[in-house]
Amino acid sequence: MWGRGALLGTRTPSLAWGRGWSAAAPCSAPAEPSRVRALIYGHHGDPAKVVELKNLELAAVGGSDVHVKMLAAPINPSDINMIQGNYGLLPKLPAVGGNEGVGQVVAVGGSVTGVKPGDWVIPANAGLGDWVIQNASNSGVGQAVIQIAAALGLRTINVVRDRPDLQELTDRLKSLGAEHVLTEEELRKHEMKNFFKDMPQPRLALNCVGGKSSTELLRHLAPGGTMVTYGGMAKQPVIASVSQLIFKDLKLRGFWLSQWKKDHSPAQFKELILTLCGLIGRGQLTAPACSEVPLQDYERALEASMQPFVSSKQILTMC
């Protein structure tokens, strides 16, 4: 594994070091060195020419960090493609390549309970992690996506409509785990090309708006990416260009929870709910802001729920 990633079996974020084809301490006796060796590439090209063995300073472990010494890591075709620069997901340079392998825990932060020094671990997901882009990010679903993605080690690009309290909304979404918060207008600017030069394009887009907003999400998806539409707040169709479908191989699909329930067993739905409950219990998923309204004041609740730029969920109380 070369890069950041979660470790199978852990419940905390982790940082893998000594990644890929590297060594920092004897395999039989894990120790915490101050410097590690790793194979680094600073630009794309022929792997045999651009990859160099370098010594790196190791940051002190703390909090939820986990330091892992990689014991063995395969060289996969996708690793070669990443170094060459022709893979669908590319890391920020300079980078340590690779996404698979087996490692040994050397040190853990004070809040880590899932693993201990000496444990052998494997990456639970790709070292780069993936990016998700979504619109209507201030909605109840959008806020849940931000938190669930963060719990899974995924990063989010969150698109919202411009509004007077934009900075306040941005701060709130980032406090939930949002990596970036952009307005619809910012997403349409030509300068967004530079934005994606320093980060991989997202491979998943979540759309509940439609119209121009969904078109912009598609424009920024990585080749082979998928846009899932679960709503149409703009009451406008989703429009995809022929070139996006043919040359970028983008995929469009819909999601309707009612149909999902019909297609899955009660046991699978229960498993889904229990998974979400687990995130709630660990403090990784919280409810959106709510306004409790007595049942007799239903008209006020209905009117409030239809106002623009409202992030608070209207909850009718029956007692």
Side-chain angles (χ1 to χ4, degrees):
M1 178 183 68
W2 331 349
R4 296 185 68 95
L7 303 177
L8 191 62
T10 69
R11 294 185 178 180
T12 57
S14 60
L15 174 62
W17 57 264
R19 301 160 291 191
W21 310 305
S22 63
C27 295
S28 59
E32 177 79 0
S34 60
R35 294 179 66 82
V36 295
R37 294 186 299 156
L39 290 172
I40 308 289
Y41 60 101
H43 58 277
H44 298 296
D46 181 350
K49 295 180 180 178
V50 300
V51 174
E52 300 179 83
L53 181 61
K54 293 186 176 182
N55 291 316
L56 304 177
E57 290 290 338
L58 180 63
V61 67
S64 60
D65 292 338
V66 177
H67 281 184
V68 176
K69 170 186 164 50
M70 296 307 296
L71 305 179
I75 304 174
N76 295 321
S78 58
D79 303 329
I80 297 297
N81 293 153
M82 282 185 177
I83 298 172
Q84 292 170 332
N86 52 21
Y87 193 69
L89 184 64
L90 298 176
K92 183 178 180 179
L93 300 179
V96 183
N99 293 291
E100 296 181 353
V102 61
Q104 192 172 26
V105 176
V106 175
V108 300
S111 62
V112 176
T113 59
V115 294
K116 62 183 183 302
D119 286 351
W120 283 35
V121 294
I122 63 174
N125 50 36
L128 291 173
D130 274 333
W131 288 82
V132 178
I133 188 170
Q134 64 167 342
N135 52 25
S137 304
N138 59 304
S139 67
V141 172
Q143 293 178 55
V145 167
I146 291 170
Q147 296 174 82
I148 294 172
L152 296 175
L154 305 175
R155 301 179 179 183
T156 54
I157 301 170
N158 302 278
V159 184
V160 298
R161 289 181 292 174
D162 197 6
R163 62 195 66 210
D165 62 341
L166 179 61
Q167 188 58 54
E168 180 182 343
L169 174 62
T170 298
D171 294 341
R172 180 154 55 84
L173 295 183
K174 287 192 173 183
S175 72
L176 296 177
E179 188 80 14
H180 297 287
V181 179
L182 304 170
T183 65
E184 297 276 3
E185 292 75 17
E186 288 175 322
L187 195 64
R188 296 190 186 105
K189 290 183 178 179
H190 181 75
E191 291 78 10
M192 285 303 298
K193 288 186 177 180
N194 296 326
F195 178 82
F196 286 104
K197 283 183 178 180
D198 297 327
M199 55 181 287
Q201 287 185 300
R203 295 197 292 178
L204 173 65
L206 299 176
N207 165 51
C208 73
V209 177
K212 292 181 179 180
S213 177
S214 59
T215 301
E216 288 302 315
L217 296 188
L218 283 172
R219 189 162 69 90
H220 296 292
L221 270 183
T226 299
M227 184 172 78
V228 178
T229 294
Y230 65 95
M233 293 166 53
K235 297 182 174 63
Q236 296 175 351
V238 172
I239 300 176
S241 69
V242 172
S243 62
Q244 289 174 328
L245 299 178
I246 296 177
F247 301 116
K248 291 188 68 176
D249 190 28
L250 298 185
K251 302 170 183 63
L252 307 179
R253 63 162 300 162
F255 177 80
W256 184 30
L257 183 59
S258 298
Q259 186 62 48
W260 187 94
K261 288 181 180 179
K262 292 179 182 179
D263 296 337
H264 294 77
S265 67
Q268 289 173 307
F269 181 62
K270 179 180 179 181
E271 181 182 3
L272 170 63
I273 295 300
L274 290 177
T275 298
L276 296 176
C277 288
L279 294 176
I280 294 171
R282 294 194 293 272
Q284 295 175 301
L285 179 61
T286 59
C290 298
S291 297
E292 295 186 5
V293 182
L295 183 63
Q296 61 269 23
D297 294 334
Y298 68 93
E299 291 180 340
R300 174 162 60 90
L302 290 173
E303 290 176 357
S305 67
M306 293 186 289
Q307 294 301 312
F309 311 130
V310 174
S311 300
S312 179
K313 184 72 66 176
Q314 303 296 307
I315 306 293
L316 293 172
T317 57
M318 314 300 179
C319 55

